[in-house]
Amino acid sequence: MDIQKEVLAILDDVLSLKGRALEFDASTPLLGAVPELDSMAVVGVINMLEERFGFYVEDDEIDGATFATVGTLVEFVAGKTA
């Protein structure tokens, strides 16, 4: 499974980016750079990640750094699925 592809698909779906997220790479900034990614959208992304990958995210496991870039989000997901 290509975790980055899955994460990008989730971002694209939850944020309604109409394919824009599929062009992102690991260094693409997220929080503060993608206007659609507000606090409510973060919750939606986390919920979708939990459903898609079958893990649970505790409140204290995640902070703004997790959503700094596509790469940091992919690393978080990879760590949860390892």
Side-chain angles (χ1 to χ4, degrees), residues 11-26:
L11 287 170
D12 201 71
D13 184 41
V14 172
L15 304 179
S16 300
L17 296 177
K18 300 178 183 163
R20 258 185 25 219
L22 305 179
E23 298 173 9
F24 294 173
D25 63 29

Side-chain angles (χ1 to χ4, degrees), residues 1 3 6 12-14 21 27 30-31 33 41 43-44 47 51 54 56 60 62-63 68:
M1 171 190 324
I3 293 175
E6 293 288 325
D12 201 71
D13 184 41
V14 172
S27 65
L30 294 175
L31 207 56
V43 172
N47 287 337
E51 286 179 29
Y56 181 74
D60 62 349
I62 201 159
D63 59 26

Side-chain angles (χ1 to χ4, degrees), residues 20-78:
R20 258 185 25 219
L22 305 179
E23 298 173 9
F24 294 173
D25 63 29
S27 65
T28 302
L30 294 175
L31 207 56
V34 178
E36 295 87 351
L37 188 61
D38 60 15
S39 58
M40 291 304 294
V42 167
V43 172
V45 170
I46 292 169
N47 287 337
M48 187 71 83
L49 290 170
E50 289 175 330
E51 286 179 29
R52 180 82 48 96
F53 292 99
F55 58 73
Y56 181 74
V57 178
E58 298 287 342
D59 292 340
D60 62 349
E61 286 184 282
I62 201 159
D63 59 26
T66 306
F67 282 86
T69 66
V70 170
T72 58
L73 185 56
V74 169
E75 285 175 24
F76 175 78
V77 172

